[in-house]
Amino acid sequence: MNEARPIRTAEILCVGTELLLGDIVNTNAAYLSARLAELGIHVYRHTVVGDNPERLSRALKAAFEEADLVITSGGLGPTYDDLTKETVAAYFGLPLELHEASLDAIRSYFTRTGRVMTKNNEKQAMMPRGAHVFPNHYGTAPSLAIANEEGTKTAIMLPGPPGELCPIFEEEILPYLKSRRTSVLVSKNIHIFGMGESAVEERLKELMTKATNPTVAPYCKEGEVRLRVTAEGDSEAEASAMCDDMIAQICRTEVGQYVYGMDVGTLEQAVILFLRSRGLTLACAESCTGGLIAKRITDIAGCSDVFLGGCVTYANEAKIRLLGVREETLARHGAVSEQTAREMARGVRERLGADIGVSATGIAGPGGGSKEKPVGTVYVGISTKDGEQVRRLSLSSMRSRDYIRIVSAGNAYDMILHCDK
Amino acid sequence: MNEARPIRTAEILCVGTELLLGDIVNTNAAYLSARLAELGIHVYRHTVVGDNPERLSRALKAAFEEADLVITSGGLGPTYDDLTKETVAAYFGLPLELHEASLDAIRSYFTRTGRVMTKNNEKQAMMPRGAHVFPNHYGTAPSLAIANEEGTKTAIMLPGPPGELCPIFEEEILPYLKSRRTSVLVSKNIHIFGMGESAVEERLKELMTKATNPTVAPYCKEGEVRLRVTAEGDSEAEASAMCDDMIAQICRTEVGQYVYGMDVGTLEQAVILFLRSRGLTLACAESCTGGLIAKRITDIAGCSDVFLGGCVTYANEAKIRLLGVREETLARHGAVSEQTAREMARGVRERLGADIGVSATGIAGPGGGSKEKPVGTVYVGISTKDGEQVRRLSLSSMRSRDYIRIVSAGNAYDMILHCDK
């Protein structure tokens, strides 16, 4: 088969009755779309059908009317209703044959995980003649690609579970798709906190609209913006340099001062790297965030070298007992105040013997707001041996409790990253 | 129009280029599918197209070749590329007309949220002649339904943001769809913790396969199973009684002892109701869960009457300083041990003056495991004035860090619900 033809358009075709029943959310389609967009491949449709070969066959035909590439997920399992491979092979007019290497891999997967292989699993090693087979180190269903003689139609079949689909895509499919290009793509991420999505877009509108190579695509979640810069060049070095030029341009604008890192993953990962590189330890004192600041830090394995612990002091009594916040402070200024945030951050730092203490106290809503301190009022504090600093947030009271808590935690992390210890 | 025809089959048609770029995950399709399944409406396909009226028009035609009902999401906004309403109206051959009530509602929405209404927003009040218009209290785009003369084809159009789509579906669309039935549907949820999905299905297989009215559908997330029992009857009372009979049957099986509530929402909501009804207060001490136990409790607004606070004691030093865990205990038994879990639970209960203290200490991985204490070993403790109890979990080391932490928190909640104070 001729695999040299460039791939420009794609459709995502997900197979699984559990998707149509709403038992699971189709995260695969979003994941694959985002990755294809980065490769410059235009996805113009997602389709989900059940475990039904006739509907799958029709959907496949409809997809190839427009797309160079169809990526399927699901229907590669061992049972009788897993029929993706059979249906796609029939579309391409190819017979199925036993693929010895896949059978060996499936046998060894069962040995490794101490489970018993059934006769059914052998079906997973049957492959359309001439298929490009990719190994699966995360489950029993190998992935595969088939292309027609002319190389104008390619089908890639992936297993349904995201825990298998995503790593296989990264490790096998991405190199395969890149090998079918004559050019090289490089992507880099700029991570931004403290400037809203619309403000970032407004500021970079001209640059983003004009930019075709590199392209600049914004991704947003609560309070954070990630700009993905993707360049296409003749070599890795050339594409990388094109990205760097664009990044430098962006960083020279007002947006630059809100950049907290490049390709650092999440804000909490950036915090851990920051602390580790400086040999600093962290403790946190949380009221309205209720454990979220600590939870996100401890989501990351291996955080124990920089994170000592923290206190969730929801009740005033807990603030007094665990953190040594003074009763007078609470009586005079209230639990939601600059003074309380200050004493919480200092208290947790001193009591845990940490280099940095952070705190958050506020009104996450939907109840509990007042005229002076409406829902969305949060004080975020930081304490080091040099003293304390407190940021007052006035988030819109139309925002959800979740949003207010997430952005409060984000501000605590941001204050750590701006702490010049 | 004739709306008396029963609706048996549906397609979900989501409109939005941001879905095809992978910027957002299509949670609407899963949500709508699950709700339609409960109504006995069979969803046979999901399709996602961009903001492109031609593709939308083709997708709509294809959908109505099989479906009695097409539900669209997205494309009802005020901008020029929001064209769902226009495209669907054209399919039904209906002109658009100004809908005064909608215009008033949009005006009042802007006044209420203190924003400025632009000329564009008036477009959102244009409706196909004869459409059934549903108010939107959560945004500016009204929802609508159109049916053909014969009542054999119905289109329901909903706004894209899940924060608008979901409540509108619950408040407006569900009653509308129910009004188009001659029978009444009632659903009730059984919440289960501590018995895995496959064990529940294995135990109830016969019952679930045979059951056609009521139906029993399982929904699973980490360590939790929810069984949704749905009955169809001539009246609310009849359908409700049919559900109750099925629930009683299920509760008489082995599954019954793992049921923690009916229609209670989440495990943490059940905990709050449990504590509130008994006038008890809670504090938590967390090592491997790193704040997750507290975070999930404080996700729920108004938890402050029962939740006092907690400590995240990641470092040993923090366990000693904040909770009074003895150095000797840590040296002799290790941080991951029954004894440490016991002292953590007691320590936090006493220090915060709570009725109940819970704790979790374990190895969430992926690193840190040993032969005696592999990844997945977690001790979950509970302390009351009557003493302490500890549960040892041996979760598979193949499980993710997230899973191990979520199930550990789940066990802490479960121990609270089984505490006979």
Side-chain angles (χ1 to χ4, degrees), chain B residues 106 276 281 288 329 398:
Chain B
I106 294 169
R276 192 171 285 149
T281 57
C288 63
T329 304
M398 303 281 286

Side-chain angles (χ1 to χ4, degrees), chain A residues 60-93:
Chain A
L60 193 68
K61 225 178 125 189
F64 273 127
E65 277 168 24
E66 257 185 288
D68 304 327
L69 170 69
V70 175
I71 300 192
T72 69
S73 80
L76 298 180
T79 69
Y80 70 94
D81 64 349
D82 288 305
L83 289 165
T84 300
K85 211 164 46 186
E86 291 74 1
T87 309
V88 177
Y91 175 82
F92 282 92

Side-chain angles (χ1 to χ4, degrees), chain A residues 90-397:
Chain A
Y91 175 82
F92 282 92
L94 296 169
L96 291 177
E97 295 169 346
L98 182 68
H99 189 255
E100 290 289 349
S102 294
L103 188 61
D104 289 349
I106 294 168
R107 278 202 195 107
S108 108
Y109 178 86
F110 276 95
T111 311
R112 208 164 67 239
T113 56
R115 291 158 57 204
V116 178
M117 180 169 163
T118 64
K119 186 81 190 158
N120 276 347
N121 290 103
E122 285 180 19
K123 171 172 171 318
Q124 296 187 286
M126 297 296 289
M127 294 291 167
R129 183 179 295 165
H132 194 122
V133 179
F134 306 101
N136 179 353
H137 305 296
Y138 309 91
T140 58
S143 302
L144 60 151
I146 317 182
N148 63 354
E149 286 286 342
E150 303 78 27
T152 51
K153 290 179 187 180
T154 302
I156 294 178
M157 287 156 263
L158 299 173
E164 299 180 31
L165 179 138
C166 300
I168 292 171
F169 190 89
E170 300 296 327
E171 293 164 20
E172 307 288 342
I173 310 305
L174 212 49
Y176 171 79
L177 289 172
K178 284 185 176 173
S179 77
R180 295 203 41 189
R181 308 175 66 94
T182 47
S183 59
V184 174
L185 280 182
V186 170
S187 286
K188 301 190 182 190
N189 294 287
I190 308 177
H191 297 267
I192 295 160
F193 183 84
M195 192 175 193
E197 175 185 8
S198 48
V200 171
E201 289 193 7
E202 184 62 37
R203 189 61 200 77
L204 300 178
K205 202 178 194 172
E206 222 192 300
L207 205 137
M208 281 166 63
T209 317
K210 275 194 198 157
T212 52
N213 187 25
T215 55
V216 182
Y219 299 87
C220 309
K221 55 176 191 176
E222 295 86 353
E224 286 188 59
V225 179
R226 178 164 61 91
L227 296 175
R228 194 162 176 97
V229 178
T230 304
E232 183 170 9
D234 288 335
S235 70
E236 185 96 14
E238 188 196 31
S240 180
M242 289 163 74
C243 285
D244 292 342
D245 278 354
M246 176 58 79
I247 291 168
Q249 267 191 67
I250 291 170
C251 286
R252 276 195 299 272
T253 70
E254 188 197 347
V255 174
Q257 57 190 293
Y258 298 97
V259 171
Y260 68 81
M262 299 290 162
D263 289 313
V264 286
T266 61
L267 201 45
E268 48 271 29
Q269 277 171 320
V271 165
I272 289 181
L273 294 176
F274 175 92
L275 295 171
R276 192 171 286 150
S277 69
R278 287 162 180 76
L280 298 172
T281 57
L282 174 69
C284 55
E286 310 187 49
S287 187
C288 63
T289 49
L292 180 62
I293 298 176
K295 187 260 172 196
R296 283 171 60 183
I297 292 279
T298 59
D299 278 344
I300 299 159
C303 64
S304 55
D305 57 337
V306 296
F307 182 68
L308 302 182
C311 295
V312 180
T313 53
Y314 222 59
N316 276 354
E317 193 61 26
K319 292 182 183 70
I320 297 167
R321 290 199 197 185
L322 290 176
L323 300 172
V325 173
R326 288 174 307 159
E327 287 196 59
E328 194 204 324
T329 304
L330 291 167
R332 201 158 149 191
H333 304 285
V336 178
S337 66
E338 189 189 321
Q339 291 79 359
T340 299
R342 194 178 291 275
E343 291 184 26
M344 285 172 68
R346 188 168 56 222
V348 82
R349 178 177 67 80
E350 289 177 353
R351 287 180 182 219
L352 282 177
D355 298 307
I356 300 177
V358 290
S359 66
T361 179
I363 300 152
S370 65
K371 188 144 190 194
E372 300 81 53
K373 294 175 187 171
V375 168
T377 307
V378 182
Y379 292 90
V380 182
I382 188 165
S383 170
T384 67
K385 69 173 172 40
D386 300 329
E388 283 76 45
Q389 283 191 330
V390 176
R391 222 181 246 186
R392 183 193 156 111
L393 312 181
S394 299
L395 305 168
S396 162
S397 59

